[in-house]
Amino acid sequence: MRFINNRVVLFLAFAFLGLNFAAAQEIIPEKVKDSVKPKLTPGAKLKVDGVVAVVGDFVVLDSDIDLTYKELQASNMPISDVTRCELLGKLMEDKLYAHQAIQDSIVVSDAEVNETMNRQIDYFVENLGSPDKMVAYFKKKNLETFKAELFDMIKNQKLTEQMQKKIIDEVEITPEEVRQFYAKFTKEDLPTFGAEMEVAQIVVKPEISQAEKQKVIDRLKEIKKEVQDGASFYSKAVLYTEDKASASSGGYIPVNRKSQLVKEFKDAAFSTDEGQISEPFETEYGFHIVFVEKIRGQELDVRHILMTPKVTPESLAKAKEKIEKIRAKIVNGEISFADAARSESDEKDTRNSGGLLMNPRTLETRFELTKMDPTIYNQVADLKDKTISEPIMDQDRLGTPSWKILTVTNRYDEHPADYAKDYTKIKELALKEKQLKTIAKWSAAKIKETYVKVNGEYRDCKFANNWLKK
């Protein structure tokens, strides 16, 4: 939890590797076809491992390609049609970004890398059974060797991400460019947008008693005293924090003034001295204490422990009774769903919009059915237009229960792109195309001015970029 809120397929696969393994459900080994390996020239000897390419200050080993295959397998990405030449080309792109990121003084902290690495290792161990099985799966000598290689890979990936972000951050699209992008399609070639719907909700959260809040505050104060008496904050966070995203890294969260964190959290972090622990404070997620481990100007290394007060059965029952009354008023025509959401819903993110859910991917209210959250889709799939669901018990990311009712406010059938109706989506496609062209132009220029060498049989690869500088 953060307190916030073709080549393209391969590009996205690598973006996925940049650290979203938690979305995968299980590791399904997939054999790599022999045909994906580069053909050797007659008489050539296959190295067990070796440098296959050099880009600036970075090298790419044959084993790096093998490791990338393994990570793609581990994240359930299809690999049967991905060749070693394609993976080498993408790895070289990443090295080019990382090399240039260092030239541009882009910094990625070891703490940030370790946090991500620990999260990935936890995922692998959970799916493979044990650290030893993980090491064997990736064919490494021992856990230390695996960690060292994974650390370097993650650090380079983060440098790559920041360099790419820097390249495209200034890319903007004008209305005229959007019009030209749309105009280049014939009627038959127009992009097709899938069936969509708009969904609204009303949420009633159970009231938390002051007694339950005080229990959490007292426990956090006890933990603070234990740490001041010599206990490890890291260990306490691993054991007790309810923030699952940071638990494995001892509650670590990097903080700066621009961090997308709730105000109360940033205020507490910046008002706590280095080496000190804050008093318990409340946010919308519960109660926290923060330990400021290191201050570097406006950059803080912070660890925190989050605890949430518990909902009593009596409070949960009262919340259900309240939402049933709200539903009855809507069904009886005493109030519209939108007005009820504005006046009665406890979900502030949707209350002001009449309960309309926001698509986090597009920042619009429409949800494409094939890309919709399966849980929400299952809750509204059988609802007819303007009908109201029965009360549904829901849980937030911390497991705190609440009650909600849902309705489908609009449905949109699958249709070819329409410039007037789908302008925002068309603009998004046009911007992505312009960003890819900008990255390609940047890469071509940097390849010319960067030392690049490709060794052995890989020189026969058909790369998308001009790595051989022919």
Side-chain angles (χ1 to χ4, degrees):
M1 179 178 54
R2 294 293 305 276
F3 308 108
I4 53 174
N5 300 309
N6 8 116
R7 267 329 46 78
V8 173
V9 173
L10 189 58
F11 177 85
L12 293 176
F14 273 77
F16 180 84
L17 280 180
L19 306 151
N20 202 13
F21 286 113
Q25 298 300 311
E26 60 179 337
I27 294 175
I28 304 175
E30 180 179 353
K31 291 186 177 180
V32 180
K33 297 178 181 178
D34 292 340
S35 60
V36 304
K37 298 180 179 180
K39 294 180 180 179
L40 297 174
T41 54
K45 295 181 179 179
L46 181 63
K47 297 179 182 179
V48 174
D49 195 10
V51 176
V52 296
V54 179
V55 180
D57 297 328
F58 292 90
V59 299
V60 181
L61 302 175
D62 217 22
S63 59
D64 291 335
I65 301 175
D66 296 331
L67 180 59
T68 304
Y69 267 123
K70 285 288 186 181
E71 290 208 341
L72 285 168
Q73 284 179 316
S75 55
N76 288 338
M77 299 299 296
I79 63 170
S80 58
D81 295 325
V82 178
T83 69
R84 294 181 74 84
C85 287
E86 288 172 329
L87 287 188
L88 173 60
K90 188 63 185 70
L91 287 171
M92 291 176 70
E93 286 181 32
D94 289 348
K95 302 302 183 187
L96 180 67
Y97 293 126
H99 172 76
Q100 192 60 44
I102 293 173
Q103 307 307 307
D104 291 0
S105 301
I106 292 175
V107 176
V108 173
S109 70
D110 287 355
E112 183 182 354
V113 177
N114 280 321
E115 179 192 10
T116 301
M117 181 178 70
N118 290 335
R119 192 162 64 245
Q120 284 196 10
I121 288 176
D122 287 346
Y123 167 78
F124 288 140
V125 170
E126 181 181 351
N127 282 274
L128 294 170
S130 70
D132 289 342
K133 290 181 179 179
M134 174 185 68
V135 170
Y137 178 82
F138 286 100
K139 298 182 179 179
K140 297 303 170 186
K141 185 185 300 183
N142 51 47
L143 182 59
E144 289 69 29
T145 300
F146 176 71
K147 280 187 171 182
E149 292 188 21
L150 187 59
F151 181 95
D152 288 341
M153 178 176 282
I154 293 170
K155 187 159 190 174
N156 290 339
Q157 179 64 37
K158 288 187 175 292
L159 286 170
T160 294
E161 290 169 357
Q162 291 201 31
M163 191 67 240
Q164 288 176 335
K165 184 176 183 297
K166 181 178 178 180
I167 296 167
I168 66 174
D169 264 355
E170 297 180 0
V171 178
E172 296 180 345
I173 196 88
T174 66
E176 176 59 21
E177 287 175 312
V178 178
R179 188 195 66 76
Q180 292 176 4
F181 172 81
Y182 180 77
K184 74 181 182 180
F185 292 102
T186 65
K187 186 176 181 179
E188 293 74 22
D189 293 333
L190 280 172
T192 298
F193 296 128
E196 298 172 311
M197 67 169 60
E198 290 180 324
V199 178
Q201 68 176 6
I202 296 174
V203 178
V204 174
K205 298 179 180 179
E207 290 187 13
I208 305 293
S209 69
Q210 191 56 45
E212 290 298 321
K213 290 182 179 180
Q214 194 59 48
K215 285 181 185 178
V216 171
I217 293 171
D218 292 344
R219 180 63 184 120
L220 287 172
K221 286 183 175 180
E222 288 177 6
I223 292 174
K224 176 180 177 179
K225 187 176 186 307
E226 290 168 3
V227 174
Q228 290 172 332
D229 290 342
S232 164
F233 193 99
Y234 180 103
S235 299
K236 294 292 183 182
V238 170
L239 289 172
Y240 298 116
T241 188
E242 294 176 33
D243 175 14
K244 296 179 181 179
S246 68
S248 63
S249 59
Y252 174 78
I253 294 180
V255 179
N256 59 53
R257 291 293 183 186
K258 296 182 180 179
S259 298
Q260 298 299 306
L261 304 168
V262 291
K263 181 179 183 297
E264 299 90 343
F265 192 95
K266 287 201 289 188
D267 287 348
F270 279 102
S271 61
T272 303
D273 294 332
E274 183 175 310
Q276 299 300 308
I277 303 172
S278 73
E279 288 297 315
F281 62 94
E282 187 175 10
T283 72
E284 61 190 86
Y285 300 98
F287 289 87
H288 314 246
I289 53 174
V290 297
F291 169 51
V292 178
E293 197 167 66
K294 187 73 175 176
I295 298 177
R296 301 184 306 278
Q298 295 299 303
E299 301 282 337
L300 308 181
D301 288 339
V302 169
R303 298 188 186 278
H304 83 120
I305 295 174
L306 168 67
M307 290 185 172
T308 56
K310 303 310 174 192
V311 173
T312 64
E314 295 78 15
S315 180
L316 190 60
K318 286 182 180 179
K320 184 179 183 183
E321 182 180 346
K322 179 180 177 181
I323 205 163
E324 286 174 338
K325 289 180 178 178
I326 294 171
R327 182 180 185 278
K329 287 182 178 181
I330 299 171
V331 172
N332 293 334
E334 298 175 38
I335 190 173
S336 70
F337 193 100
D339 286 342
R342 293 185 184 97
S343 62
E344 302 290 347
S345 182
D346 293 329
E347 181 54 67
K348 67 178 185 179
D349 290 339
T350 58
R351 184 169 55 219
N352 293 335
S353 64
L356 282 173
L357 297 179
M358 183 72 72
N359 187 332
R361 188 179 63 84
T362 64
L363 301 182
E364 293 184 314
T365 56
R366 293 187 183 188
F367 289 82
E368 191 169 340
L369 301 191
T370 57
K371 300 176 182 177
M372 196 173 186
D373 182 316
T375 300
I376 297 176
Y377 178 78
N378 290 333
Q379 292 170 346
V380 300
D382 296 330
L383 284 181
K384 296 180 180 179
D385 292 348
K386 309 302 181 183
T387 59
I388 315 299
S389 73
E390 293 293 331
I392 300 168
M393 192 170 78
D394 199 13
Q395 289 187 334
D396 63 17
R397 289 168 290 183
L398 298 172
T400 304
S402 61
W403 290 96
K404 69 179 180 181
I405 52 177
L406 298 165
T407 188
V408 177
T409 59
N410 282 299
R411 297 180 193 269
Y412 305 89
D413 295 332
E414 180 177 290
H415 62 281
D418 181 282
Y419 187 74
K421 296 178 181 178
D422 302 306
Y423 179 81
T424 302
K425 291 186 177 65
I426 295 168
K427 179 181 178 181
E428 182 182 343
L429 292 176
L431 178 60
K432 286 181 179 178
E433 181 183 74
K434 188 174 181 180
Q435 288 173 339
L436 288 173
K437 287 181 178 178
T438 300
I439 287 176
K441 184 178 179 180
W442 180 92
S443 298
K446 293 303 178 184
I447 287 172
K448 289 181 180 179
E449 63 186 51
T450 303
Y451 175 77
V452 178
K453 184 177 181 181
V454 181
N455 294 327
E457 63 273 11
Y458 287 97
R459 293 183 62 84
D460 295 330
C461 289
K462 304 297 183 184
F463 294 116
N465 291 313
N466 185 25
W467 295 113
L468 301 178
K469 301 186 180 183
K470 293 181 178 179

